[in-house]
Coordinates of all heavy atoms in Angstrom, one line a residue:
M14 N -3.2 -33.9 32.2 CA -3.8 -32.6 32.3 C -2.8 -31.6 31.8 O -1.6 -31.6 32.2 CB -4.3 -32.3 33.7 CG -4.9 -31.0 33.9 SD -5.6 -30.8 35.5 CE -7.2 -31.5 35.3
S15 N -3.2 -30.6 31.0 CA -2.3 -29.6 30.5 C -1.9 -28.6 31.5 O -2.7 -28.2 32.4 CB -2.8 -28.9 29.2 OG -4.0 -28.2 29.6
E16 N -0.7 -28.1 31.4 CA -0.2 -27.1 32.3 C -0.6 -25.7 31.9 O -0.6 -25.4 30.7 CB 1.3 -27.2 32.4 CG 2.0 -26.2 33.3 CD 3.5 -26.3 33.2 OE1 4.0 -27.5 32.9 OE2 4.2 -25.3 33.5
I17 N -1.1 -24.9 32.8 CA -1.6 -23.5 32.4 C -0.4 -22.6 32.7 O 0.2 -22.5 33.8 CB -2.8 -23.1 33.3 CG1 -4.0 -24.0 32.9 CG2 -3.1 -21.6 33.0 CD1 -5.2 -23.7 33.8
K18 N 0.1 -21.9 31.7 CA 1.2 -20.9 31.8 C 0.6 -19.5 31.8 O -0.3 -19.2 31.2 CB 2.1 -21.1 30.6 CG 2.8 -22.4 30.6 CD 3.8 -22.5 29.4 CE 4.4 -23.9 29.4 NZ 5.3 -24.1 28.3
H19 N 1.3 -18.7 32.6 CA 0.9 -17.3 32.6 C 2.0 -16.5 31.8 O 3.2 -16.5 32.1 CB 0.9 -16.7 34.1 CG 0.7 -15.3 34.2 ND1 -0.5 -14.7 33.9 CD2 1.6 -14.3 34.4 CE1 -0.3 -13.4 34.1 NE2 0.9 -13.1 34.4
Y20 N 1.5 -15.7 30.9 CA 2.3 -14.8 30.1 C 1.9 -13.4 30.4 O 0.7 -13.1 30.4 CB 2.1 -15.1 28.6 CG 2.5 -16.5 28.1 CD1 1.6 -17.5 27.9 CD2 3.9 -16.8 27.9 CE1 2.0 -18.7 27.5 CE2 4.3 -18.0 27.5 CZ 3.3 -19.0 27.3 OH 3.7 -20.3 26.9
A21 N 2.9 -12.6 30.6 CA 2.6 -11.1 30.8 C 2.0 -10.5 29.6 O 2.4 -10.9 28.5 CB 3.9 -10.4 31.2
N22 N 1.1 -9.6 29.7 CA 0.5 -8.9 28.5 C 1.5 -7.8 28.1 O 2.5 -7.5 28.8 CB -0.9 -8.4 28.8 CG -0.9 -7.2 29.8 OD1 0.1 -6.5 29.9 ND2 -2.0 -7.1 30.5
V23 N 1.3 -7.3 26.9 CA 2.2 -6.3 26.3 C 2.4 -5.1 27.3 O 3.5 -4.6 27.5 CB 1.7 -5.9 25.0 CG1 2.6 -4.8 24.4 CG2 1.7 -7.1 24.0
D24 N 1.3 -4.6 27.8 CA 1.4 -3.4 28.7 C 2.3 -3.7 29.9 O 3.2 -2.9 30.3 CB 0.1 -2.9 29.2 CG -0.7 -2.3 28.1 OD1 -0.1 -1.9 27.1 OD2 -1.9 -2.2 28.2
E25 N 2.2 -4.9 30.5 CA 3.0 -5.3 31.6 C 4.5 -5.3 31.2 O 5.4 -4.9 31.9 CB 2.6 -6.6 32.2 CG 1.3 -6.5 32.9 CD 0.8 -7.9 33.3 OE1 1.2 -8.9 32.8 OE2 -0.1 -8.0 34.2
K26 N 4.7 -5.9 30.0 CA 6.1 -6.0 29.5 C 6.7 -4.7 29.2 O 7.9 -4.4 29.6 CB 6.2 -6.9 28.3 CG 5.9 -8.4 28.6 CD 6.2 -9.2 27.3 CE 6.1 -10.7 27.7 NZ 6.5 -11.5 26.6
L27 N 6.0 -3.8 28.6 CA 6.5 -2.5 28.2 C 6.8 -1.7 29.5 O 7.7 -0.8 29.5 CB 5.5 -1.7 27.3 CG 5.4 -2.3 25.9 CD1 4.4 -1.5 25.1 CD2 6.7 -2.2 25.2
S28 N 6.0 -1.9 30.6 CA 6.2 -1.1 31.8 C 7.5 -1.4 32.4 O 8.0 -0.7 33.3 CB 5.0 -1.3 32.8 OG 5.1 -2.6 33.3
L29 N 8.2 -2.5 32.1 CA 9.5 -2.9 32.6 C 10.6 -2.1 32.0 O 11.7 -2.0 32.6 CB 9.7 -4.4 32.4 CG 8.7 -5.3 33.1 CD1 9.0 -6.8 32.7 CD2 8.8 -5.2 34.6
D30 N 10.4 -1.6 30.8 CA 11.4 -0.9 30.0 C 11.7 0.4 30.6 O 10.8 1.0 31.3 CB 11.0 -0.8 28.6 CG 10.9 -2.1 27.9 OD1 11.6 -3.1 28.3 OD2 10.1 -2.3 27.0
K31 N 12.9 0.9 30.4 CA 13.3 2.2 30.9 C 13.6 3.1 29.7 O 14.2 2.7 28.7 CB 14.5 2.0 31.8 CG 15.0 3.3 32.5 CD 16.2 2.9 33.3 CE 17.0 4.2 33.7 NZ 18.3 3.9 34.3
F32 N 13.1 4.4 29.8 CA 13.4 5.3 28.7 C 14.1 6.5 29.2 O 13.9 7.0 30.2 CB 12.0 5.8 28.1 CG 11.2 4.7 27.5 CD1 10.3 4.0 28.3 CD2 11.3 4.4 26.2 CE1 9.5 2.9 27.7 CE2 10.6 3.3 25.6 CZ 9.7 2.6 26.4
C33 N 15.1 6.9 28.4 CA 15.8 8.1 28.6 C 15.6 9.0 27.4 O 16.1 8.8 26.3 CB 17.3 7.9 28.8 SG 18.2 9.3 29.3
V34 N 14.7 10.0 27.6 CA 14.2 10.8 26.4 C 15.1 11.9 26.2 O 15.4 12.7 27.1 CB 12.8 11.3 26.7 CG1 12.3 12.1 25.5 CG2 11.8 10.1 26.9
D35 N 15.6 12.1 25.0 CA 16.5 13.2 24.6 C 15.5 14.4 24.2 O 15.0 14.5 23.1 CB 17.3 12.8 23.4 CG 18.4 13.9 23.1 OD1 18.2 15.0 23.6 OD2 19.3 13.6 22.3
E36 N 15.3 15.3 25.2 CA 14.4 16.4 25.0 C 14.9 17.4 24.0 O 14.2 18.2 23.5 CB 14.2 17.1 26.4 CG 13.7 16.2 27.5 CD 12.2 15.8 27.4 OE1 11.5 16.3 26.5 OE2 11.8 15.0 28.2
E37 N 16.2 17.4 23.8 CA 16.8 18.4 22.9 C 16.9 17.9 21.4 O 17.0 18.8 20.5 CB 18.3 18.6 23.3 CG 18.5 19.0 24.8 CD 17.9 20.3 25.1 OE1 18.0 21.2 24.3 OE2 17.2 20.4 26.2
N38 N 16.7 16.7 21.2 CA 16.9 16.1 19.9 C 15.9 15.0 19.6 O 16.2 13.9 20.0 CB 18.3 15.7 19.7 CG 18.6 15.2 18.3 OD1 18.0 15.6 17.3 ND2 19.5 14.2 18.2
A39 N 14.8 15.3 18.9 CA 13.9 14.3 18.6 C 14.5 13.3 17.5 O 15.0 13.8 16.5 CB 12.6 14.9 18.0
H40 N 14.4 12.1 17.8 CA 15.1 11.1 16.8 C 14.1 10.8 15.7 O 14.5 10.2 14.7 CB 15.6 9.9 17.5 CG 14.6 8.9 18.1 ND1 13.8 9.2 19.2 CD2 14.1 7.8 17.6 CE1 13.0 8.2 19.4 NE2 13.2 7.3 18.5
I41 N 12.8 11.1 15.9 CA 11.8 10.9 14.8 C 11.1 12.2 14.6 O 10.6 12.8 15.6 CB 10.8 9.8 15.1 CG1 11.6 8.5 15.3 CG2 9.8 9.7 14.1 CD1 10.7 7.3 15.8
E42 N 11.0 12.7 13.4 CA 10.1 13.9 13.1 C 9.2 13.5 11.9 O 9.7 12.9 11.0 CB 11.0 15.1 12.7 CG 11.9 15.6 13.9 CD 12.8 16.7 13.5 OE1 12.6 17.3 12.4 OE2 13.7 17.0 14.3
L43 N 8.1 14.1 12.0 CA 7.1 13.8 10.9 C 7.2 15.0 9.9 O 7.5 16.1 10.2 CB 5.7 13.7 11.4 CG 5.4 12.7 12.5 CD1 3.9 12.5 12.7 CD2 6.1 11.3 12.2
V44 N 6.7 14.7 8.7 CA 6.6 15.7 7.7 C 5.4 16.6 8.1 O 4.6 16.2 8.9 CB 6.3 15.1 6.3 CG1 7.5 14.3 5.8 CG2 5.0 14.3 6.2
E45 N 5.4 17.8 7.5 CA 4.2 18.7 7.7 C 3.0 18.1 7.0 O 3.2 17.6 5.9 CB 4.5 20.1 7.3 CG 5.5 20.9 8.2 CD 5.6 22.3 7.8 OE1 4.6 22.9 7.4 OE2 6.7 22.8 7.9
N46 N 1.9 18.2 7.6 CA 0.7 17.7 7.0 C 0.8 16.3 6.5 O 0.6 16.0 5.2 CB 0.2 18.7 5.9 CG 0.0 20.1 6.4 OD1 -0.6 20.3 7.4 ND2 0.6 21.0 5.6
P47 N 1.0 15.3 7.3 CA 1.1 14.0 6.9 C -0.2 13.5 6.3 O -1.3 13.9 6.6 CB 1.4 13.2 8.2 CG 1.5 14.1 9.3 CD 1.2 15.5 8.8
S48 N -0.1 12.6 5.3 CA -1.2 12.0 4.7 C -2.1 11.2 5.8 O -1.5 10.4 6.5 CB -0.8 11.0 3.7 OG -1.7 10.0 3.5
P49 N -3.4 11.5 5.9 CA -4.2 10.8 6.8 C -4.2 9.3 6.6 O -4.2 8.5 7.6 CB -5.6 11.4 6.6 CG -5.4 12.7 6.0 CD -4.1 12.6 5.2
E50 N -4.1 8.8 5.4 CA -4.1 7.4 5.1 C -2.8 6.8 5.7 O -2.8 5.7 6.3 CB -4.2 7.1 3.6 CG -5.5 7.5 3.0 CD -5.8 8.9 2.7 OE1 -4.7 9.7 2.7 OE2 -6.9 9.4 2.6
E51 N -1.7 7.5 5.5 CA -0.4 6.9 6.0 C -0.4 7.0 7.5 O 0.1 6.1 8.1 CB 0.7 7.8 5.4 CG 0.9 7.6 3.9 CD 1.3 6.2 3.5 OE1 2.5 5.8 3.9 OE2 0.5 5.5 2.9
F52 N -0.9 8.1 8.1 CA -0.9 8.2 9.5 C -1.8 7.1 10.1 O -1.4 6.5 11.1 CB -1.5 9.5 9.9 CG -1.3 9.9 11.4 CD1 -0.2 10.5 11.8 CD2 -2.3 9.6 12.3 CE1 0.0 10.8 13.2 CE2 -2.2 9.9 13.6 CZ -1.0 10.5 14.1
Q53 N -2.9 6.8 9.5 CA -3.8 5.7 10.0 C -3.1 4.4 10.1 O -3.3 3.6 11.0 CB -5.0 5.6 9.2 CG -6.0 4.5 9.6 CD -6.5 4.6 11.0 OE1 -6.6 5.7 11.6 NE2 -6.9 3.5 11.6
K54 N -2.2 4.1 9.1 CA -1.4 2.9 9.2 C -0.6 2.8 10.4 O -0.5 1.7 11.1 CB -0.5 2.8 8.0 CG -1.2 2.6 6.6 CD -0.1 2.6 5.5 CE -0.7 2.7 4.2 NZ 0.4 2.8 3.1
L55 N -0.1 3.9 10.9 CA 0.8 3.9 12.0 C 0.0 3.9 13.3 O 0.5 3.4 14.4 CB 1.8 5.0 11.9 CG 2.7 5.0 10.7 CD1 3.7 6.1 10.7 CD2 3.4 3.6 10.6
V56 N -1.2 4.4 13.3 CA -2.0 4.4 14.5 C -2.2 2.9 14.8 O -2.2 2.5 16.0 CB -3.4 5.1 14.2 CG1 -4.4 4.8 15.4 CG2 -3.1 6.6 14.1
I57 N -2.4 2.1 13.8 CA -2.6 0.7 14.0 C -1.3 -0.1 14.3 O -1.3 -1.0 15.1 CB -3.3 0.1 12.7 CG1 -4.7 0.7 12.5 CG2 -3.4 -1.5 12.8 CD1 -5.3 0.4 11.2
A58 N -0.2 0.3 13.6 CA 1.0 -0.6 13.6 C 2.0 -0.3 14.7 O 2.7 -1.2 15.1 CB 1.7 -0.5 12.2
C59 N 2.0 1.0 15.1 CA 3.1 1.3 16.1 C 2.8 0.5 17.4 O 1.8 0.7 18.1 CB 3.1 2.8 16.4 SG 4.2 3.3 17.7
P60 N 3.7 -0.3 17.9 CA 3.5 -1.1 19.1 C 3.5 -0.3 20.3 O 3.0 -0.8 21.4 CB 4.7 -2.1 19.1 CG 5.7 -1.4 18.3 CD 5.0 -0.6 17.3
A61 N 4.0 0.9 20.3 CA 3.9 1.8 21.5 C 2.8 2.8 21.5 O 2.7 3.6 22.4 CB 5.3 2.5 21.6
S62 N 2.0 2.7 20.4 CA 0.8 3.6 20.3 C 1.2 5.1 20.4 O 0.5 5.9 21.0 CB -0.3 3.3 21.4 OG -0.7 2.0 21.3
L63 N 2.3 5.4 19.7 CA 2.7 6.8 19.7 C 2.1 7.7 18.6 O 2.2 8.9 18.7 CB 4.3 6.8 19.5 CG 5.0 6.1 20.6 CD1 6.5 6.2 20.4 CD2 4.7 6.6 22.0
Y64 N 1.5 7.0 17.7 CA 0.7 7.8 16.6 C -0.8 7.6 17.1 O -1.3 6.5 17.2 CB 0.9 7.1 15.3 CG 2.3 7.2 14.8 CD1 3.2 6.3 15.1 CD2 2.7 8.3 13.9 CE1 4.5 6.4 14.7 CE2 4.0 8.3 13.4 CZ 4.9 7.4 13.8 OH 6.2 7.5 13.3
R65 N -1.4 8.8 17.3 CA -2.8 8.7 17.8 C -3.5 9.9 17.4 O -2.9 10.9 16.9 CB -2.8 8.5 19.3 CG -2.1 9.6 20.1 CD -2.0 9.2 21.6 NE -1.3 10.3 22.3 CZ -1.9 11.4 22.7 NH1 -3.2 11.6 22.6 NH2 -1.2 12.4 23.3
Y66 N -4.8 9.9 17.7 CA -5.7 11.1 17.4 C -6.0 11.8 18.6 O -6.3 11.2 19.7 CB -7.0 10.6 16.6 CG -6.7 10.0 15.3 CD1 -6.8 8.6 15.2 CD2 -6.3 10.7 14.2 CE1 -6.6 8.0 13.9 CE2 -6.0 10.1 13.0 CZ -6.2 8.8 12.9 OH -5.9 8.2 11.7
G67 N -6.1 13.1 18.6 CA -6.5 13.9 19.7 C -8.0 14.0 19.8 O -8.7 13.4 18.9
D68 N -8.5 14.7 20.7 CA -10.0 14.8 20.9 C -10.7 15.4 19.7 O -11.9 15.1 19.5 CB -10.3 15.7 22.2 CG -9.8 15.0 23.4 OD1 -9.7 13.7 23.4 OD2 -9.6 15.7 24.5
E69 N -10.0 16.3 19.0 CA -10.6 16.9 17.8 C -10.3 16.2 16.5 O -10.5 16.7 15.4 CB -10.1 18.4 17.7 CG -10.3 19.2 19.0 CD -11.8 19.4 19.3 OE1 -12.6 19.6 18.4 OE2 -12.1 19.4 20.5
G70 N -9.7 15.0 16.7 CA -9.3 14.2 15.5 C -8.0 14.6 14.9 O -7.6 14.1 13.8
E71 N -7.3 15.5 15.6 CA -6.0 15.9 15.1 C -4.9 14.8 15.2 O -5.0 13.9 16.1 CB -5.5 17.2 15.8 CG -5.1 17.0 17.2 CD -6.2 17.2 18.2 OE1 -7.4 16.9 17.8 OE2 -6.0 17.5 19.3
M72 N -4.0 14.7 14.3 CA -3.0 13.7 14.3 C -1.9 14.1 15.3 O -1.3 15.2 15.2 CB -2.4 13.5 12.9 CG -3.3 13.0 11.9 SD -2.6 12.8 10.3 CE -2.9 14.4 9.6
L73 N -1.6 13.2 16.3 CA -0.6 13.5 17.3 C 0.5 12.4 17.3 O 0.3 11.3 17.0 CB -1.3 13.5 18.7 CG -2.4 14.4 18.9 CD1 -3.0 14.2 20.3 CD2 -2.0 15.9 18.8
F74 N 1.7 12.9 17.5 CA 2.8 12.0 17.6 C 3.8 12.5 18.7 O 4.0 13.7 18.8 CB 3.6 11.9 16.3 CG 4.9 11.1 16.4 CD1 4.8 9.7 16.6 CD2 6.1 11.7 16.4 CE1 6.0 9.0 16.7 CE2 7.3 11.0 16.5 CZ 7.2 9.6 16.7
D75 N 4.3 11.5 19.5 CA 5.3 11.9 20.5 C 6.4 10.8 20.5 O 6.1 9.6 20.6 CB 4.7 12.0 21.9 CG 5.7 12.5 22.9 OD1 6.9 12.6 22.6 OD2 5.2 12.7 24.1
Y76 N 7.7 11.2 20.2 CA 8.7 10.2 20.1 C 9.1 9.6 21.5 O 9.8 8.5 21.5 CB 9.9 10.7 19.4 CG 10.6 11.9 20.2 CD1 11.7 11.6 21.0 CD2 10.2 13.2 20.0 CE1 12.3 12.6 21.7 CE2 10.8 14.2 20.7 CZ 11.9 13.9 21.5 OH 12.5 15.0 22.2
A77 N 8.7 10.2 22.6 CA 9.0 9.6 23.9 C 8.2 8.3 24.0 O 7.0 8.3 23.8 CB 8.6 10.6 25.0
G78 N 8.9 7.3 24.4 CA 8.3 6.0 24.6 C 8.5 5.1 23.3 O 8.0 4.0 23.3
C79 N 9.3 5.6 22.4 CA 9.6 4.9 21.2 C 10.4 3.6 21.5 O 11.3 3.7 22.3 CB 10.3 5.7 20.2 SG 10.8 4.9 18.7
L80 N 10.0 2.5 20.9 CA 10.7 1.2 21.1 C 11.8 1.0 20.1 O 12.5 0.0 20.1 CB 9.7 0.1 21.0 CG 8.6 0.2 22.1 CD1 7.5 -0.8 21.8 CD2 9.1 0.0 23.5
E81 N 12.0 1.9 19.2 CA 13.1 1.9 18.1 C 13.0 0.6 17.3 O 14.0 0.1 16.9 CB 14.4 2.0 18.8 CG 14.6 3.3 19.6 CD 15.8 3.2 20.5 OE1 16.8 2.6 20.2 OE2 15.8 3.9 21.6
C82 N 11.7 0.2 17.1 CA 11.5 -1.0 16.3 C 11.7 -0.8 14.8 O 11.9 -1.7 14.0 CB 10.2 -1.6 16.6 SG 8.8 -0.6 16.1
G83 N 11.4 0.5 14.3 CA 11.5 0.8 12.9 C 10.3 0.5 12.1 O 10.3 0.6 10.9
T84 N 9.2 0.1 12.8 CA 8.0 -0.3 12.0 C 7.5 0.9 11.2 O 7.1 0.7 10.0 CB 6.9 -0.8 13.0 OG1 7.4 -1.9 13.7 CG2 5.6 -1.1 12.3
C85 N 7.5 2.1 11.8 CA 6.9 3.2 11.0 C 7.8 3.5 9.8 O 7.4 3.9 8.8 CB 6.8 4.4 12.0 SG 8.3 4.9 12.9
R86 N 9.1 3.3 10.0 CA 10.0 3.6 8.9 C 9.8 2.6 7.7 O 9.8 3.0 6.6 CB 11.5 3.5 9.4 CG 12.5 3.9 8.5 CD 13.9 3.7 9.1 NE 14.9 4.2 8.3 CZ 16.2 4.2 8.6 NH1 16.6 3.7 9.7 NH2 17.1 4.6 7.7
V87 N 9.6 1.4 8.1 CA 9.4 0.3 7.1 C 8.1 0.5 6.4 O 8.0 0.4 5.2 CB 9.5 -1.1 7.7 CG1 9.0 -2.1 6.7 CG2 10.9 -1.4 8.2
I88 N 7.0 0.8 7.1 CA 5.7 0.9 6.6 C 5.5 2.1 5.8 O 4.9 2.1 4.7 CB 4.6 0.8 7.7 CG1 4.6 -0.6 8.3 CG2 3.2 1.1 7.1 CD1 3.6 -0.8 9.4
C89 N 5.9 3.3 6.3 CA 5.6 4.5 5.6 C 6.8 5.3 5.1 O 6.6 6.2 4.2 CB 4.8 5.4 6.6 SG 3.2 4.7 7.0
G90 N 8.0 5.1 5.6 CA 9.1 5.8 5.1 C 8.9 7.3 5.0 O 8.4 7.9 5.9
K91 N 9.4 7.8 3.9 CA 9.4 9.3 3.7 C 8.0 9.8 3.4 O 7.8 11.0 3.3 CB 10.4 9.6 2.6 CG 11.8 9.4 3.1 CD 12.8 9.9 2.1 CE 14.2 9.7 2.8 NZ 15.3 9.9 2.0
T92 N 7.0 9.0 3.2 CA 5.7 9.5 3.0 C 5.2 10.2 4.3 O 4.3 11.0 4.2 CB 4.7 8.4 2.6 OG1 4.5 7.5 3.7 CG2 5.1 7.7 1.4
I93 N 5.8 9.9 5.4 CA 5.3 10.5 6.7 C 6.4 10.9 7.6 O 6.3 11.8 8.4 CB 4.3 9.5 7.4 CG1 3.5 10.3 8.4 CG2 5.1 8.4 8.1 CD1 2.3 9.5 8.8
L94 N 7.6 10.3 7.4 CA 8.7 10.6 8.2 C 9.7 11.6 7.6 O 10.2 11.3 6.5 CB 9.5 9.4 8.6 CG 8.7 8.3 9.4 CD1 9.4 7.0 9.5 CD2 8.2 8.8 10.7
K95 N 10.0 12.7 8.2 CA 11.0 13.6 7.8 C 12.4 13.2 8.3 O 13.4 13.3 7.6 CB 10.7 15.0 8.3 CG 11.7 16.1 7.9 CD 11.2 17.5 8.1 CE 11.2 17.8 9.6 NZ 10.7 19.2 9.9
K96 N 12.3 12.6 9.4 CA 13.6 12.1 10.1 C 13.3 10.8 10.9 O 12.3 10.8 11.6 CB 14.1 13.2 11.0 CG 15.3 12.8 11.9 CD 15.7 14.0 12.8 CE 16.7 13.7 13.8 NZ 17.0 14.8 14.7
W97 N 14.2 9.9 10.7 CA 14.1 8.7 11.6 C 15.5 8.2 11.8 O 16.3 7.9 10.9 CB 13.3 7.5 11.0 CG 13.0 6.4 12.0 CD1 11.8 6.2 12.5 CD2 13.9 5.5 12.5 NE1 11.8 5.1 13.4 CE2 13.1 4.7 13.4 CE3 15.2 5.2 12.4 CZ2 13.6 3.6 14.2 CZ3 15.8 4.1 13.2 CH2 15.0 3.4 14.0
E98 N 16.0 8.3 13.0 CA 17.3 7.8 13.4 C 17.3 7.2 14.8 O 16.3 7.5 15.5 CB 18.4 8.8 13.2 CG 18.1 10.1 14.0 CD 19.1 11.2 13.7 OE1 19.4 11.4 12.5 OE2 19.4 12.0 14.6
F99 N 18.3 6.4 15.1 CA 18.3 6.0 16.5 C 18.7 7.1 17.4 O 19.4 8.0 17.0 CB 19.3 4.8 16.7 CG 18.8 3.5 16.1 CD1 19.4 3.1 14.9 CD2 17.8 2.8 16.7 CE1 18.9 1.9 14.3 CE2 17.4 1.6 16.1 CZ 17.9 1.2 14.9
P100 N 18.2 7.1 18.7 CA 18.6 8.1 19.6 C 20.1 8.1 19.9 O 20.8 7.1 19.7 CB 17.9 7.7 20.9 CG 16.7 6.9 20.5 CD 17.3 6.1 19.2
Q101 N 20.6 9.2 20.3 CA 22.1 9.3 20.5 C 22.5 8.6 21.8 O 21.7 8.5 22.7 CB 22.5 10.8 20.6 CG 22.2 11.6 19.4 CD 22.6 13.0 19.5 OE1 23.2 13.4 20.5 NE2 22.3 13.8 18.5
G102 N 23.7 8.1 21.7 CA 24.4 7.5 22.9 C 23.6 6.7 23.8 O 23.0 5.7 23.5
T103 N 23.4 7.2 25.1 CA 22.7 6.4 26.1 C 21.3 6.8 26.1 O 20.6 6.3 27.0 CB 23.3 6.8 27.5 OG1 23.3 8.2 27.7 CG2 24.8 6.3 27.6
M104 N 20.8 7.5 25.1 CA 19.4 7.9 25.1 C 18.5 6.7 24.5 O 19.0 5.8 23.9 CB 19.2 9.1 24.3 CG 19.9 10.3 24.8 SD 19.3 10.8 26.4 CE 20.1 12.3 26.6
G105 N 17.2 6.9 24.7 CA 16.3 5.9 24.1 C 15.8 4.8 25.1 O 15.9 5.0 26.3
V106 N 15.4 3.8 24.5 CA 14.8 2.7 25.3 C 15.9 1.7 25.8 O 16.9 1.5 25.2 CB 13.8 1.8 24.5 CG1 14.4 1.1 23.3 CG2 13.0 0.8 25.4
E107 N 15.7 1.3 27.0 CA 16.6 0.3 27.6 C 15.7 -0.9 28.0 O 14.8 -0.8 28.9 CB 17.3 0.8 28.9 CG 18.2 -0.2 29.5 CD 18.8 0.4 30.8 OE1 19.3 1.5 30.8 OE2 18.8 -0.3 31.9
Y108 N 15.8 -2.0 27.2 CA 14.9 -3.1 27.4 C 15.3 -3.9 28.7 O 16.5 -4.1 29.0 CB 15.0 -4.0 26.2 CG 14.2 -3.5 25.0 CD1 14.9 -2.9 24.0 CD2 12.9 -3.6 25.0 CE1 14.2 -2.4 22.9 CE2 12.2 -3.1 23.9 CZ 12.8 -2.5 22.8 OH 12.2 -2.0 21.8
R109 N 14.3 -4.2 29.4 CA 14.4 -5.1 30.6 C 13.9 -6.5 30.2 O 13.4 -6.7 29.1 CB 13.6 -4.5 31.7 CG 14.1 -3.1 32.1 CD 15.5 -3.1 32.7 NE 15.9 -1.7 33.0 CZ 15.7 -1.1 34.1 NH1 14.9 -1.6 35.0 NH2 16.2 0.1 34.3
W110 N 13.8 -7.4 31.1 CA 13.3 -8.7 30.8 C 11.9 -8.6 30.2 O 11.1 -7.8 30.6 CB 13.2 -9.5 32.1 CG 12.6 -10.8 31.9 CD1 13.3 -12.0 31.6 CD2 11.2 -11.2 31.9 NE1 12.4 -13.0 31.4 CE2 11.1 -12.6 31.6 CE3 10.0 -10.5 32.1 CZ2 9.9 -13.3 31.5 CZ3 8.8 -11.2 32.0 CH2 8.8 -12.6 31.7
G111 N 11.7 -9.4 29.2 CA 10.4 -9.4 28.6 C 10.5 -10.1 27.2 O 11.5 -10.4 26.7
Ligands
SF4_14 S1 10.1 3.1 15.7 FE1 8.4 1.6 16.4 S2 7.8 2.3 18.4 FE2 9.0 4.0 17.5 S3 7.5 5.4 16.6 FE3 8.1 3.9 15.0 S4 6.7 2.2 15.1 FE4 6.5 3.4 17.0

């Protein structure tokens, strides 16, 4: 008989991480008026769901909660990002078990 293993889902794993948000210095900034097609790619691809649409369909982004994976940088680069760098010093994500 096969053994049933329990794996934590992504939300459970992410909830273990700790974030120290640098309120004074955004480590990611978007260009003005990003291309909707490029933005849509990141709505789908960002593992932290930081690219999303508001109630009126406006494009929203918040760098707090960033996992520093670089996916948005690789996929869209300068077509949508004005700035992408790692957070300074002790800022940013601190991964816990997961
Ligand atoms: S680096 Fe990763 S987690 Fe952070 S905004 Fe880009 S895709 Fe999302």
Side-chain angles (χ1 to χ4, degrees):
M14 182 173 270
S15 63
E16 180 181 332
I17 298 174
K18 295 181 179 177
H19 173 74
Y20 296 100
N22 68 30
V23 173
D24 289 340
E25 288 174 341
K26 287 188 173 187
L27 290 177
S28 70
L29 298 173
D30 296 329
K31 183 178 163 191
F32 296 90
C33 188
V34 180
D35 188 347
E36 305 282 356
E37 307 294 320
N38 182 31
H40 71 284
I41 299 175
E42 293 178 16
L43 306 191
V44 298
E45 285 190 38
N46 302 315
S48 152
E50 291 79 17
E51 293 295 292
F52 191 86
Q53 176 60 24
K54 292 178 189 174
L55 300 182
V56 170
I57 296 168
C59 174
S62 300
L63 300 181
Y64 296 85
R65 60 189 178 83
Y66 298 107
D68 292 339
E69 307 295 322
E71 69 273 27
M72 294 180 273
L73 302 175
F74 172 73
D75 186 355
Y76 64 94
C79 176
L80 300 170
E81 301 168 30
C82 65
T84 300
C85 54
R86 186 178 185 184
V87 170
I88 291 178
C89 293
K91 292 186 175 171
T92 65
I93 201 164
L94 300 171
K95 181 167 75 179
K96 172 183 174 186
W97 194 106
E98 57 190 35
F99 287 106
Q101 298 180 8
T103 57
M104 300 295 189
V106 63
E107 181 182 312
Y108 285 102
R109 302 289 176 86
W110 178 89

